């Protein structure tokens, strides 16, 4: 039996999210713990799964805050390294009236991109990767050479240990030297995953296809990925599996305030379903059940500020489904 259900590697950072204005009319920012891989793990932990995170923060106040935050929500932090020289990565999140957002990163460099292959090869981290059913990663840990090597080594260990590999590109164009380089690393991810979660705009950018099914076919012609999920924001989501496509409408809420973490929450719920049911022989009704639960969870998180600390419970998700 593997010790962990899901282990994720990647960025852990502070999301400064707008939270009103001061008496002088200046914007106020709240320092929320963030980073897509840990958001995914926080959702899984909330649903009762054993999870662990691999990444790097600075030896500073924010690094301590992040270590405390992930430990507090129940994510194993043994694989969280500390950099003595480089500060914890920060992101300023600007939220638009419809809840969509824009990011400005303070990461030149940031501690998350200082994770290296030697650290992955140390027994403590290697053993975490070997001991998981599912290994999850994105491309923020592939933007620079050192951390890219670390990510690829972790994928290699996961594959060797028979883990299901899950990938969410989570493209952030400002963090790449060029989008051609980003594309190259996304294609590496596609080559090594069993589960792909990709957003509507990412699949259009990657494949050049406006139509999502045409985009999935473009990917499938090149890579053997059993389960592909396309998250479509206000349009809901789709699952492509074994020649079947299932689409489920979203749960739109009047009280949506921001979309930070919605895709990660969705991804966490998909991995939860795979932890419980496995990857084999999924029928149309399974895919529908999986997407409906994941859409509902993503909808709940859009009504809250931040994501990692405020993931919905199973009851909250099911109540939204009923209503």
């Amino acid at each position: 039996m593997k010790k962990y259900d899901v282990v994720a590697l990647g960025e852990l950072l502070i999301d400064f999210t707008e939270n009103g204005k001061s008496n002088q009319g200046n914007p106020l920012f709240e320092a929320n713990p963030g980073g897509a891989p840990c958001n995914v793990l926080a959702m899984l932990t909330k649903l009762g799964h054993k999870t662990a995170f691999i990444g790097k923060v600075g030896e500073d106040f924010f690094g301590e805050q992040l270590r405390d935050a992930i430990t507090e929500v129940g994510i194993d932090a043994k694989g969280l390294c500390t950099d003595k020289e480089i500060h914890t990565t920060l992101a300023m999140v600007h939220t638009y009236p419809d809840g969509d957002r824009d990011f400005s990163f303070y990461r030149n460099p940031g501690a998350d991109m200082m994770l290296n292959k030697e650290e992955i090869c140390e027994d403590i981290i290697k053993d975490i990767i070997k001991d998981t059913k599912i290994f999850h990663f994105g491309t923020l840990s592939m933007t620079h050479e050192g951390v890219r090597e670390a990510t690829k080594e972790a994928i290699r260990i996961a594959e060797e240990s028979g883990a299901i590999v899950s990938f969410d590109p989570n493209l952030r164009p400002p963090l790449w030297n060029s989008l051609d380089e980003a594309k190259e690393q996304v294609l590496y991810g596609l080559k090594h995953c069993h589960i792909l979660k990709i957003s509507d705009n990412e699949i259009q950018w990657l494949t050049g296809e406006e139509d999502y099914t045409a985009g999935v076919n473009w990917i499938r012609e090149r890579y053997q990925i059993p389960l592909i999920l396309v998250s479509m924001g206000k349009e809901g989501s789709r699952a492509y599996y074994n020649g079947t496509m299932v689409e489920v409408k979203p749960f739109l809420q009047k009280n949506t305030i921001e979309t930070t973490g919605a895709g990660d929450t969705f991804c966490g719920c998909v991995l939860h379903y795979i932890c419980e049911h496995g990857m084999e022989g999924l029928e149309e009704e399974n895919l529908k059940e999986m997407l409906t639960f994941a859409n509902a969870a993503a909808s709940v998180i859009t009504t809250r500020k931040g994501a990692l600390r405020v993931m919905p419970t199973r009851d909250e998700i099911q109540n939204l489904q009923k209503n």
Side-chain angles (χ1 to χ4, degrees), residues 9 137-138 141-142 147-156:
L9 177 147
F137 73 106
S141 62
M142 298 176 90
V147 68
R148 184 182 303 163
E149 269 189 10
T151 302
K152 290 180 177 180
E153 180 62 16
I155 294 166
R156 190 192 63 74

Side-chain angles (χ1 to χ4, degrees), residues 29-84:
F29 286 87
E30 184 177 351
N32 281 301
C38 269
N39 289 340
V40 171
L41 295 181
M43 183 68 254
L44 282 153
T45 308
K46 202 68 171 257
L47 294 171
H49 295 285
K50 285 220 68 171
T51 67
F53 176 68
I54 298 163
K56 203 169 205 179
V57 291
E59 199 174 84
D60 52 29
F61 167 74
F62 288 128
E64 279 175 41
Q65 183 194 333
L66 289 168
R67 188 179 292 276
D68 291 347
I70 69 169
T71 305
E72 180 193 303
V73 299
I75 299 166
D76 187 325
K78 276 204 296 281
L80 181 60
C81 306
T82 308
D83 197 293
K84 287 181 162 60

Side-chain angles (χ1 to χ4, degrees), residues 9-28:
L9 177 147
E11 72 281 3
L12 180 58
L13 46 87
I14 297 287
D15 277 333
F16 282 99
T17 44
E18 286 177 276
N19 197 3
K21 284 196 159 70
S22 72
N23 295 337
Q24 285 96 335
N26 297 319
L28 294 172

Side-chain angles (χ1 to χ4, degrees), residues 5-6 44 47 49 133-135 163-166 194-196 226-229 239-241 266-283 286-287 289-291 293-294:
D5 294 313
V6 184
L44 282 153
L47 294 171
H49 295 285
K133 292 177 197 160
I134 298 176
F135 177 77
I164 292 170
V165 177
S166 160
H194 305 97
I195 300 170
L196 169 66
L227 177 60
I228 299 179
L229 305 130
Y240 294 82
Y241 176 87
F266 172 86
C267 186
C269 289
V270 167
L271 297 184
H272 156 70
Y273 197 88
I274 298 303
C275 283
E276 297 208 325
H277 299 84
M279 287 281 289
E280 301 302 314
L282 298 174
E283 302 287 339
N286 299 121
L287 299 172
E289 185 187 4
M290 175 179 77
L291 291 181
F293 186 81

Side-chain angles (χ1 to χ4, degrees), residues 81 116-128:
C81 306
N116 59 58
K117 186 177 171 179
E118 287 68 43
E119 287 162 325
I120 298 295
C121 293
E122 284 170 18
D123 285 349
I124 189 160
I125 290 185
K126 204 197 239 164
D127 290 348
I128 291 170

